[in-house]
Amino acid sequence: MEWNGKVVVVTGGTRGIGAGIARAFAKAGARVVVCARHAPEFPLDGVEFTPADLRDPIAVRDLFAALPRLDVLVNNVGGTPYRLLAQTDAERHARVIELNLLAPLTASLAAYDLLRRARGSIVMIGSVSGTRPSPGSAAYGAAKAGLENLARSMAVEWAPDVRVNTLVVGMVRTEQAHLHYGGEDAIAAVSRTVPLERLAEPSDIGEAAVFLASNAAAYISGASLLVHGGGERPAFLDAATANRANHEETGES
C-alpha cells in the first residue's frame, strides 16, 4: 500500500478539520503525528500526539528533529475569533497572522530537509476567506491569502524535491460550528447558501488532503484546490429583477 511506512505530520490536528485530516491519513495506512499545545479531548485512533506550540520556532525545530522521516506535512494550524478591524488593537491582529501564516512557514522550514530526502509533500490548509473580503476576520483572510501565495513560491523554490499545494476550504461543520453560525436552524440556513446544500464534513477535507499528497497527484504542485461545495451564490442574483420578470412572463418556475 502507498502509505505503509510513510510518516505524516498534521499541525493543529487534535480537533475539527485537523482531526478529520489525521483520521483520513491514518485510515489510508500512514503513521500520523498531530501536534498542538493541548492534547485532544478524545484520542484519535491510530494517531500519535506530540505537544508543541507552533508559534515557538525552537519547539517546532525540536519536533521535526525527533522524527526518523517525514513524507507529508499538513499545515492545518490556524483560526481566529470574530474581530472587527477598528475594534481590536494591532497586536491582536498580528497574533492572528502569526498563527495562520508565520507558523506554517516555520513548520515548513523545519520540515524541509526531511521532506526533501523523502521527496515528500506539503499541504497548506487555506480558506475561502483568503480569496474574498472577510469582514470580522480580516487579519485571518489576509494571512490565508498570504499562505496560498507562499505555497506557490515554495512549490517553485523547492521543486522537484518537495511538492507544495493548498486546499482552499469553505465552510465546515465541526464541533465548534455553532460558535460561528449559531444553532441547528442557523446551520441549516447557512447550508442552503452553498450549491451542494451542506457544509463540508472534516472527512471531506481529509480525503482531499490525502489525494493532494498521494501519488495520484504526483504532477500537481503550486496548485490551489477549492473544497467549498461550489462556492457561494452571488448575492446580486437574489437582488436582480430581470430574470424574475422573464420567468413570470413565460410562466417558468
Side-chain angles (χ1 to χ4, degrees):
M1 293 178 62
E2 176 182 352
W3 293 102
N4 285 350
K6 301 290 183 67
V7 177
V8 178
V9 168
V10 182
T11 66
T14 58
R15 64 184 182 184
I17 294 172
I21 294 169
R23 289 190 184 99
F25 276 103
K27 180 181 175 183
R31 175 193 169 191
V32 182
V33 178
V34 300
C35 53
R37 287 185 298 167
H38 306 293
E41 184 177 356
F42 303 104
L44 305 175
D45 291 339
V47 175
E48 305 170 32
F49 170 73
T50 297
D53 185 345
L54 275 299
R55 295 168 297 186
D56 180 348
I58 295 175
V60 172
R61 287 193 288 268
D62 289 346
L63 166 70
F64 290 102
L67 294 175
R69 67 175 290 160
L70 180 64
D71 298 272
V72 180
L73 168 62
V74 182
N75 279 310
N76 165 77
V77 70
T80 185
Y82 182 85
R83 286 175 175 162
L84 293 173
L85 278 171
Q87 295 179 6
T88 309
D89 59 53
E91 289 81 2
R92 288 180 181 268
H93 292 307
R95 285 197 286 273
V96 171
I97 294 172
E98 179 185 24
L99 179 63
N100 290 279
L101 178 57
L102 297 184
L105 173 59
T106 300
S108 299
L109 290 170
Y112 172 68
D113 284 337
L114 286 170
L115 290 169
R116 180 177 54 82
R117 288 198 289 271
R119 293 187 71 86
S121 171
I122 296 174
V123 179
M124 304 290 198
I125 303 303
S127 170
V128 294
S129 294
T131 65
R132 55 155 170 75
S134 189
S137 56
Y140 173 80
K144 289 298 187 180
L147 185 67
E148 193 172 351
N149 186 271
L150 173 65
R152 292 195 188 104
S153 297
M154 197 177 283
V156 174
E157 287 198 22
W158 291 359
D161 299 318
V162 181
R163 292 189 303 110
V164 187
N165 292 292
T166 303
L167 287 181
V168 181
V169 177
M171 295 181 289
V172 183
R173 185 180 182 118
T174 68
E175 60 268 50
Q176 293 189 316
H178 64 284
L179 299 178
H180 298 280
Y181 310 119
E184 287 301 317
D185 289 345
I187 290 174
V190 170
S191 298
R192 288 192 292 271
T193 70
V194 179
L196 290 188
E197 296 186 349
R198 69 175 180 89
L199 305 188
E201 297 293 336
S203 59
D204 294 317
I205 312 306
E207 294 297 336
V210 171
F211 163 70
L212 274 186
S214 73
N215 291 336
Y219 200 63
I220 300 175
S221 192
S224 298
L225 177 60
L226 296 167
V227 188
H228 59 5
E232 301 173 358
R233 177 179 170 84
F236 79 86
L237 290 176
D238 295 322
T241 59
N243 288 336
R244 190 181 313 147
N246 289 338
H247 286 163
E248 290 172 355
E249 290 175 3
T250 60
E252 295 177 356
S253 59

